[in-house]
Amino acid sequence: MASAPSGFFVLPDLHAVTPFVGSFNRHYPAAASESSEWINSYRVLSDKKRAFFLQGGSELLCAHAYSYAEYERFRTTCDFVNLLFTVDEISDDQNGKDAYSTGLIFYNSMSNLDYDDGTTLCKMTKEFTARLLKHCGPLTYRRFVKHCKDYIEAVAQEAELRERGEVLDLASYQVLRRENSAVRFCFGLAGYALGIDLPDEVVEHPTFMAMHLATVDMVCWSNDLYSYNMEQAMGHTGNNVMTVLMQEKGLDLQGAADHVGVHFKGLIDTFLEAKRTLPTWGEKIDREVSQYIMAMETWVIGNLNWSFETQRYFGHARHEIKRTLVVHLYPRRVEVSSDDEN
């Protein structure tokens, strides 16, 4: 693989190998406004973090990722992703112990309706959970709470690794990334957004799980690729597959980006093969499984589309980068703001 020219690297064209069709939720303007007003009313983050948070466009992500959801369910997905971004921003500045304490408030508030420690995070989470439970099936909710526990444990582990300056090997990183990215957590809302409650025998079936993990990894690897420039500028590269690949495989930056592209195409192939060989569970369940598969595909293509619409990763240069695929590296140790992302 060719060496990356100094100062920039070229993204693999993930859109070109993704056969899924994107769409956009028609309820976005009203529901996003409601959700944004709700999350901002708590003022949990500092003004600087809040500005970055608003720039990220979490409701916009939901409009791509849950494009099929009706109004109330869509509004609830926006609340969830806003809540997740808030927890993530808080824990990013914490050590392992404190990140786990923050996560426990999140988890306890979601899993125990009687829990109340008086914190703002607790109140926010309980309000979200009350909206969720109005329409969430019991199996989906149980699995969702389990994803929450896995998420907070992974975030705490990430904080500990950050404290030690440790970068995991690729196999270990991939397992951790599925959880600390909250992508599996977000996928857990698909049943709720669709209004279905798949049985465990379907969700835990090896072929269905292969599809699930392939699409989760597509989102994780693409997010790491797209966020690398922003993270390296702030000195936060340990929790990124690009860093893991460069360290483990001896690649330069361009080589790592190329590897992500090849692996992403392999994940597409794995997903399509599993989809082709999926067993049958009867007409009703098969129809719901087809809906869920659509939701997986929608998350992948929706995330790719969102990544070039939000300023979160590429700032004002996002449209040009989507066209050229060329990413010019930000100066190191400079916190990137919307004003200097040109």
Side-chain angles (χ1 to χ4, degrees):
M1 293 185 182
S3 296
S6 177
F8 70 90
F9 68 101
V10 181
L11 298 171
D13 190 350
L14 303 186
H15 275 92
V17 298
T18 304
F20 312 140
V21 178
S23 53
F24 195 80
N25 196 298
R26 63 190 177 92
H27 302 300
Y28 168 73
S33 177
E34 283 186 15
S35 184
S36 182
E37 185 177 342
W38 172 72
I39 199 76
N40 291 333
S41 69
Y42 287 102
R43 301 193 67 86
V44 174
L45 304 175
S46 67
D47 288 344
K48 190 174 186 180
K49 278 188 171 291
R50 187 166 170 270
F52 180 72
F53 174 82
L54 291 172
Q55 179 182 289
S58 53
E59 300 97 351
L60 184 67
L61 171 60
C62 290
H64 284 288
Y66 305 103
S67 55
Y68 47 84
E70 54 84 22
Y71 188 91
E72 187 173 356
R73 295 172 195 266
F74 175 64
R75 157 68 202 275
T76 305
T77 66
C78 290
D79 289 351
F80 173 65
V81 175
N82 274 327
L83 190 55
L84 262 184
F85 271 90
T86 301
V87 173
D88 186 56
E89 288 296 330
I90 293 170
S91 62
D92 267 354
D93 293 331
Q94 295 179 318
N95 59 30
K97 181 181 177 182
D98 291 343
Y100 190 66
S101 295
T102 296
L104 274 181
I105 295 171
F106 186 40
Y107 171 75
N108 289 334
S109 305
M110 188 179 295
S111 60
N112 180 359
L113 300 183
D114 296 323
Y115 178 82
D116 188 355
D117 68 354
T119 63
T120 300
L121 179 57
C122 176
K123 183 178 180 183
M124 294 165 65
T125 306
K126 286 171 73 70
E127 287 183 8
F128 156 74
T129 305
R131 282 195 281 274
L132 176 73
L133 288 175
K134 285 175 64 178
H135 300 293
C136 192
L139 298 175
T140 297
Y141 176 64
R142 176 176 51 77
R143 289 190 291 259
F144 188 68
V145 169
K146 174 63 165 60
H147 284 313
C148 183
K149 188 71 184 302
D150 293 340
Y151 166 71
I152 68 166
E153 290 176 350
V155 168
Q157 184 182 348
E158 175 192 344
E160 291 170 357
L161 291 167
R162 187 168 59 240
E163 281 183 84
R164 298 196 299 266
E166 180 179 345
V167 176
L168 293 175
D169 63 85
L170 183 58
S172 301
Y173 175 78
Q174 183 159 271
V175 173
L176 178 67
R177 192 65 178 134
R178 290 167 181 163
E179 307 299 346
N180 73 357
S181 64
V183 174
R184 292 194 75 191
F185 201 2
C186 289
F187 273 42
L189 270 185
Y192 164 79
L194 289 163
I196 62 179
D197 197 26
L198 289 180
D200 290 342
E201 67 176 292
V202 172
V203 174
E204 295 170 3
H205 190 280
T207 307
F208 186 93
M209 186 58 67
M211 296 175 68
H212 168 71
L213 292 180
T215 47
V216 166
D217 286 347
M218 288 178 214
V219 176
C220 291
W221 282 60
S222 59
N223 280 356
D224 278 6
L225 173 72
Y226 295 153
S227 66
Y228 179 81
N229 190 23
M230 174 185 70
E231 291 174 3
Q232 66 82 27
M234 296 186 289
H236 298 161
T237 58
N239 185 53
N240 191 296
V241 76
M242 298 280 283
T243 299
V244 173
L245 290 168
M246 286 188 281
Q247 177 172 292
E248 179 164 314
K249 297 184 178 294
L251 301 173
D252 62 11
L253 182 56
Q254 187 61 58
D258 294 342
H259 186 95
V260 170
V262 172
H263 185 72
F264 189 93
K265 177 59 168 64
L267 292 170
I268 293 281
D269 294 341
T270 296
F271 174 85
L272 294 176
E273 177 60 19
K275 182 178 179 180
R276 187 184 67 80
T277 60
L278 202 64
T280 182
W281 287 277
E283 185 177 349
K284 177 181 181 296
I285 298 298
D286 286 354
R287 185 169 58 251
E288 293 179 347
V289 168
S290 293
Q291 289 179 278
Y292 205 100
I293 291 171
M294 175 276 295
M296 294 185 203
E297 295 173 348
T298 300
W299 236 108
V300 172
I301 186 62
N303 183 69
L304 292 182
N305 290 338
W306 169 78
S307 296
F308 291 97
E309 289 184 20
T310 177
Q311 292 190 46
R312 183 175 180 86
Y313 297 143
F314 301 121
H316 296 309
R318 60 196 182 279
H319 301 304
E320 178 69 8
I321 291 172
K322 184 178 183 180
R323 185 181 69 82
T324 66
L325 301 177
V326 176
V327 178
H328 293 274
L329 296 178
Y330 296 128
R332 292 288 182 94
R333 302 291 178 183
V334 174
E335 186 141 345
V336 180
S337 68
S338 58
D339 291 331
D340 53 25
E341 286 179 325
N342 292 299

